[in-house]
Amino acid sequence: MLRSRRGILPIVSLLFVVAAIRTASGQEAASPPTFTPPPITTQEEMALVFDEFFTVGLDLERPLAVHDLKIKRDTFELTLGEGLVYLAKPIHGQVTGAYFTGRGRMKLSIPNALDR
């Protein structure tokens, strides 16, 4: 977990970083994926892929420097002021997470009183 001035930020919120970095860099839209894994066809294959989620590591060889990156999804806003993003190693051909170290802010607006 990460700490900010306002408390502990859940690492799950950093999953938005992966989609935002891909979108901001234009890599996903401009070029097709270089690897398409075969479809999962058996329960055993599904179990193996699922188990990878518990053992996946970070790609420490290629950190990404970020400066004032804003990620907005609905009422959630994540601002990565300055720091490094380490993407998780791919699971079945897809990057599923990231770790950010540096300065940042997280803002969440609850849309109505019932949800608060």
Side-chain angles (χ1 to χ4, degrees), residues 17-29 69-71 73:
V17 172
V18 175
I21 290 172
R22 284 183 172 177
T23 304
S25 67
Q27 291 176 355
E28 190 171 80
L69 175 66
K70 275 194 178 178
I71 303 162
R73 296 287 188 262

Side-chain angles (χ1 to χ4, degrees), residues 37-110:
I40 297 172
T41 57
T42 66
Q43 184 66 32
E44 291 79 21
E45 289 176 4
M46 177 62 78
L48 288 173
V49 171
F50 184 76
D51 288 343
E52 286 184 59
F53 281 101
F54 296 103
T55 59
V56 68
L58 296 174
D59 184 358
L60 300 176
E61 300 295 318
R62 294 179 284 183
L64 303 169
V66 294
H67 302 279
D68 298 323
L69 175 66
K70 275 194 178 178
I71 303 162
K72 292 182 181 182
R73 296 287 188 262
D74 297 322
T75 61
F76 175 79
E77 182 179 306
L78 183 64
T79 304
L80 306 179
E82 187 172 341
L84 294 173
V85 173
Y86 295 91
L87 298 179
K89 292 180 181 175
I91 297 175
H92 201 66
Q94 297 293 315
V95 174
T96 58
Y99 174 78
F100 172 74
T101 180
R103 182 178 50 85
R105 287 189 341 249
M106 182 173 77
K107 177 181 167 185
L108 177 65
S109 301
I110 307 298

